[in-house]
Amino acid sequence: MPKGKQSHRVVVVGAGFAGLSAVQALANAPVEVILIDRHNYHLFQPLLYQVATAALTPAEIAAPIRKILRNQKNVTIFMDEVCGVSPTDKSVTTSSGREFSYDTLVLATGARHGYFGNSAWEQHAPGLKTIDDAFELRMRILSAFEKAEAAETTEMRQALLTFIVVGGGPTGVEMAGAIAELSHSMARDFRRIDSTSARIILIEGGDRVLPTFRRKLSESARKALVSLGVDVRTDARVTDIGDCRVTIADKDVRAGTVIWAAGVQASPAATWLGVDTGRSGHVQVGKDLRVEGFDDVYAIGDTAAHIPDGADQPLPGVAPVAKQMGAYVGTRISKYVQGKSTVSNFEYKNFGSMATIGRNRAIAELGALSFRGLVGWLLWGIVHIYFLVGFRNRLILMLNWLWAYVTWQRGVRLITGESAYQPKKHVTKID
Amino acid sequence: MPKGKQSHRVVVVGAGFAGLSAVQALANAPVEVILIDRHNYHLFQPLLYQVATAALTPAEIAAPIRKILRNQKNVTIFMDEVCGVSPTDKSVTTSSGREFSYDTLVLATGARHGYFGNSAWEQHAPGLKTIDDAFELRMRILSAFEKAEAAETTEMRQALLTFIVVGGGPTGVEMAGAIAELSHSMARDFRRIDSTSARIILIEGGDRVLPTFRRKLSESARKALVSLGVDVRTDARVTDIGDCRVTIADKDVRAGTVIWAAGVQASPAATWLGVDTGRSGHVQVGKDLRVEGFDDVYAIGDTAAHIPDGADQPLPGVAPVAKQMGAYVGTRISKYVQGKSTVSNFEYKNFGSMATIGRNRAIAELGALSFRGLVGWLLWGIVHIYFLVGFRNRLILMLNWLWAYVTWQRGVRLITGESAYQPKKHVTKID
């Protein structure tokens, strides 16, 4: 699409935390903004595990991008999928065959789960990054209980009631805790199995869960998981994953459901630009978040690797980093276009981090302070509801949580759709 | 599955309104109940069009069957798909290869939309009977607006913004009204199109919409539709449906989205039993709802055709008929097993019927009384919320409706999943 005369056009690819923040920071800038996303919604990813475990519906954590940006008149939104960038022509192309020229390009295309080169594991152990992933996991988890109820042998039942979560970071810990709670919420629903006998195994390659947190908080999290009945195995390496089977240190464990929460693979943005990346595919960015070697291209959020001064590790792929990167880039472009002095280098302000294990159990680090147990959990709830600002579902989400808390129930135990990893059945079946 | 010694086993196939009512009426009977359903949830189908038009989420109108029947200890539930009945062996077989013997069989397998023999139309004009259907329609409707925003020619835009609903019964009328309202709720969300310019065409073969209602109510409904901007065409016959095209009386109309609400095809229950049916596949049942020629097999709900004494038409496929049939059959079996005198023949008590067209607009017939406009709409809302008893979501549903009413917004505008009618894309794409 050719741009309007004289206007400076910023093309932003991706409407996650990073892309959306960049667009919003450009609200009052004299620019034309084009926002392109594969989906029509912005997803509040930190709560996605609650969709996968039947506690929340997608509409409670996703909002239409158009609705969020309704009043920002300088942005035009296209639901489309970028498949290439031409830095010489200064344009991006999409899978629908459209071409958008840009003056400045912001790549905020996120990341997916990565399998360290073992892509065959994906079908057996899907990960959790999108709403469709959450539906897939929800279907697998709930179906495992259904199949166990119908199973004719003890061996089958035990395998079906075994859930393995690979990866002891926040997503893995949250998934393991949530599955344990789900199994307890269904205690009276089955006649032939005891759903609370489900075995949940959390596998972490390092020596503790939540390794980015302080050691004592990791230990709190481990204890909370164990009290929920989760079998936490640290220093454990997965060497193979097959159909209903995980090989841990050369020993096969049978499991009806395997969930991948171990690795991250950046989007192919680096490939589009033809730049070198590490194994995880991240785009190296400089102090101003521009891609090294490109004057007009920024990369932000989970797809970017930014190593702060004095640090040896890039910033983690979490929401606060993405949001601050987006706001910085939006402001920087706005000043540049208006000929104002450019802002200083990007600096991440770490306000803290938190993870939840389940009802009454969470950990949080805020500066020098540590929180755990009920206090950590309340803090976690307040922060998450606060950051859902702009979603009309905050009230409904609070009511849902309150209801689930009082009744111990999960409201969204629906098995819908068909597995993305299996051949589609004919659609005209009768129920 | 062989049954326990001496117990009388009732196998109920289908957990819709009919099957669930039958099971619940057997709560205190000395029987063993097996309930088999393809899904793990009971669906409140009358509100399904609100899921298809982004007003409600599935969890608000569907509840896990296990949760509903949690306290009824004589029922065991299997999520499975029945694919055959052997009346000689008195058993049903399922697609997972399981076999269930029965003493009494209750078939409550429902219906799907039918295309009067033109099954090729389905991919171009899907219908609305299941949650997956609702997702499909929601995706098509919302995607049409997205594609129109990106379209490069006026002709393309106009075609994409044309929605054709085939069939002027309650579902067709409700869908047409809801799409009109959806288009208005997005008035400020697009930059290149005017979403309120969407053209919604409702096609009915007969001389009025809602033909089962009194003539003056049909006229009210038509006026309400027209006031929402719907182009209502009665006495119009669809002769062909193709890709983005409907042929009405030999004239082609281009439309980005076509929705089928015209015909109903009963489940294959009749085929399982090897009994003759009419074109729509319904099982003929006698005055006690047993399938003619079978002592131990009942058919109820949408899959059954029951012609009351003195009537020339079978009872309609609506929720109250299904529920009353289920309750009757459950009670009848219960009395029979306990050696009590059998109950009299089934008699349907018609308390009335209603249909909604949109905000402040509905029609209702209760006995000799007719209601329309705001009064009809309030009545419709109260009745529907009342009948959601047992769903934990009544409160949330009310809040959602209240919110939508005050703000004119639709909360669930998410395009998720992939079309069931198109080849699946590879799942590892990056967003």
Side-chain angles (χ1 to χ4, degrees), chain A residues 337-360:
Chain A
V337 171
Q338 292 173 82
K340 296 183 188 167
S341 61
T342 51
V343 292
S344 50
N345 292 334
F346 174 68
E347 266 181 65
Y348 172 55
K349 284 199 190 67
N350 186 355
F351 295 108
S353 46
M354 40 185 39
T356 180
I357 298 99
R359 189 185 172 87
N360 299 354

Side-chain angles (χ1 to χ4, degrees), chain A residues 286-362:
Chain A
K287 291 177 183 181
D288 54 7
L289 305 187
R290 282 190 290 183
V291 181
E292 283 162 14
F294 296 84
D295 277 355
D296 312 306
V297 184
Y298 294 84
I300 54 177
D302 285 5
T303 208
H306 172 76
I307 303 177
D309 277 344
D312 51 357
Q313 285 285 317
L315 290 174
V318 295
V321 172
K323 281 182 164 181
Q324 290 182 31
M325 282 179 159
Y328 169 86
V329 165
T331 308
R332 193 172 197 282
I333 296 169
S334 176
K335 292 205 171 174
Y336 169 78
V337 171
Q338 292 173 82
K340 296 183 188 167
S341 61
T342 51
V343 292
S344 50
N345 292 334
F346 174 68
E347 266 181 65
Y348 172 55
K349 284 199 190 67
N350 186 355
F351 295 108
S353 46
M354 40 185 39
T356 180
I357 298 99
R359 189 185 172 87
N360 299 354
R361 298 173 175 96

Side-chain angles (χ1 to χ4, degrees), chain A residues 1 14 37-41 45 55 57-60 62-64 66-67 69-79 81 98 108-112 122 129-133 135 138 142-143 145-147 149-152 185-192 265-268 392-393 395-396 399-400 403-404 409-422 424-431, chain B residues 1 14 37-41 45 55 57-60 62-64 66-67 69-79 81 98 108-112 122 129-133 135 138 142-143 145-147 149-152 185-192 265-268 392-393 395-396 399-400 403-404 409-422 424-431:
Chain A
M1 210 173 72
D37 196 286
R38 270 217 313 154
H39 296 123
N40 75 328
Y41 51 81
Q45 230 177 35
T57 81
E60 285 160 338
R66 294 192 185 283
K67 199 171 145 191
L69 296 172
R70 175 176 288 176
N71 296 320
Q72 188 173 334
K73 295 297 178 196
N74 69 347
V75 58
T76 307
I77 300 161
F78 293 90
M79 184 177 147
E81 190 167 12
R98 214 166 282 126
T109 40
R112 264 194 82 81
E122 183 171 12
K129 282 282 178 193
T130 68
I131 288 183
D132 288 329
D133 291 342
F135 278 144
R138 190 177 76 183
L142 296 175
S143 297
F145 286 98
E146 294 293 334
K147 287 180 194 158
E149 172 82 345
E152 297 298 342
S185 78
M186 302 190 291
R188 292 186 293 132
D189 290 14
F190 295 90
R191 299 288 177 266
R192 293 152 53 95
Q265 178 75 32
S267 76
R392 61 127 208 161
N393 298 298
L395 176 68
I396 289 173
L399 282 169
N400 249 344
W403 181 272
Q409 290 308 308
R410 302 257 154 173
V412 200
R413 274 170 40 204
L414 310 179
I415 301 177
T416 54
E418 311 216 15
S419 171
Y421 298 90
Q422 274 154 30
K424 210 159 245 278
K425 288 189 204 163
H426 193 252
V427 289
T428 52
K429 280 200 180 134
I430 303 293
D431 53 321
Chain B
M1 209 173 68
D37 196 285
R38 270 215 313 154
H39 295 122
N40 75 327
Y41 52 81
Q45 229 178 35
T57 80
E60 284 159 340
R66 295 192 184 283
K67 199 171 146 193
L69 296 173
R70 176 176 287 177
N71 296 319
Q72 187 174 333
K73 295 297 177 196
N74 69 348
V75 57
T76 308
I77 301 161
F78 292 90
M79 185 177 146
E81 190 167 11
R98 216 167 280 128
T109 40
R112 265 195 81 81
E122 182 170 15
K129 282 283 178 192
T130 67
I131 288 182
D132 289 329
D133 292 342
F135 279 145
R138 189 177 77 183
L142 296 175
S143 298
F145 286 98
E146 293 294 334
K147 287 179 193 158
E149 172 83 344
E152 296 298 342
S185 78
M186 302 188 292
R188 293 187 290 133
D189 290 14
F190 295 90
R191 300 288 177 266
R192 292 151 54 95
Q265 178 75 34
S267 77
R392 62 125 208 163
N393 298 298
L395 176 69
I396 289 172
L399 282 170
N400 250 342
W403 182 273
Q409 290 309 308
R410 301 258 156 173
V412 199
R413 274 170 41 203
L414 311 178
I415 300 177
T416 55
E418 310 216 15
S419 172
Y421 299 89
Q422 274 154 31
K424 210 159 245 279
K425 288 189 203 163
H426 193 251
V427 289
T428 51
K429 281 202 177 132
I430 302 295
D431 52 323

Side-chain angles (χ1 to χ4, degrees), chain A residues 88-112:
Chain A
T88 13
D89 296 346
K90 297 185 79 167
S91 71
V92 303
T93 48
T94 70
S95 59
S96 74
R98 214 166 282 126
E99 194 175 321
F100 296 92
S101 61
Y102 63 77
D103 295 297
T104 306
L105 176 62
V106 180
L107 295 171
T109 40
R112 264 194 82 81

Side-chain angles (χ1 to χ4, degrees), chain B residues 114-311:
Chain B
Y115 291 82
F116 310 124
N118 302 292
S119 58
W121 294 0
E122 182 170 15
Q123 57 175 310
H124 307 299
L128 183 64
K129 282 283 178 192
T130 67
I131 288 182
D132 289 329
D133 292 342
F135 279 145
E136 176 80 31
L137 288 182
R138 189 177 77 183
M139 184 182 64
R140 289 188 184 214
I141 294 166
L142 296 175
S143 298
F145 286 98
E146 293 294 334
K147 287 179 193 158
E149 172 83 344
E152 296 298 342
T153 68
T154 312
E155 200 193 356
M156 278 283 289
R157 250 190 303 277
Q158 281 176 349
L160 285 162
L161 289 178
T162 302
F163 299 82
I164 296 183
V165 180
V166 184
T171 302
V173 166
E174 286 166 346
M175 280 299 297
I179 296 171
E181 292 202 327
L182 172 66
S183 73
H184 284 273
S185 78
M186 302 188 292
R188 293 187 290 133
D189 290 14
F190 295 90
R191 300 288 177 266
R192 292 151 54 95
I193 59 166
D194 172 8
S195 67
T196 67
S197 73
R199 206 173 143 213
I200 297 120
I201 307 174
L202 179 67
I203 301 174
E204 164 59 34
D207 68 343
R208 59 189 177 112
V209 297
L210 301 175
T212 61
F213 285 78
R214 284 174 203 138
R215 199 163 273 277
K216 67 172 183 180
L217 288 181
S218 286
E219 183 53 21
S220 299
R222 193 192 61 79
K223 280 188 186 149
L225 284 166
V226 169
S227 77
L228 278 170
V230 176
D231 178 356
V232 181
R233 303 196 188 171
T234 47
D235 292 315
R237 286 234 169 259
V238 169
T239 51
D240 194 24
I241 301 177
D243 191 23
C244 298
R245 172 185 58 78
V246 175
T247 312
I248 307 164
D250 298 328
K251 217 185 127 195
D252 279 1
V253 182
R254 288 192 68 198
T257 312
V258 186
I259 295 158
W260 185 259
V264 159
Q265 178 75 34
S267 77
T271 322
W272 299 337
L273 297 171
V275 298
D276 278 347
T277 66
R279 191 170 171 183
S280 59
H282 291 97
V283 180
Q284 303 296 324
V285 293
K287 293 176 181 182
D288 54 7
L289 304 186
R290 282 190 290 183
V291 181
E292 282 161 14
F294 297 84
D295 277 356
D296 312 307
V297 184
Y298 293 85
I300 54 176
D302 284 6
T303 207
H306 171 76
I307 303 178
D309 277 342

Side-chain angles (χ1 to χ4, degrees), chain A residues 144-225:
Chain A
F145 286 98
E146 294 293 334
K147 287 180 194 158
E149 172 82 345
E152 297 298 342
T153 68
T154 311
E155 200 194 356
M156 278 283 289
R157 250 190 304 277
Q158 281 177 349
L160 285 161
L161 289 178
T162 302
F163 299 82
I164 296 183
V165 181
V166 183
T171 302
V173 165
E174 285 165 347
M175 279 301 296
I179 297 171
E181 293 202 326
L182 172 66
S183 75
H184 284 273
S185 78
M186 302 190 291
R188 292 186 293 132
D189 290 14
F190 295 90
R191 299 288 177 266
R192 293 152 53 95
I193 59 165
D194 172 9
S195 68
T196 65
S197 73
R199 206 172 143 215
I200 297 120
I201 306 174
L202 179 66
I203 301 175
E204 164 60 34
D207 67 343
R208 58 186 178 114
V209 297
L210 302 175
T212 60
F213 286 77
R214 283 172 204 139
R215 197 163 275 278
K216 67 172 182 180
L217 288 181
S218 287
E219 182 53 22
S220 300
R222 193 192 62 78
K223 279 187 186 149
L225 284 166

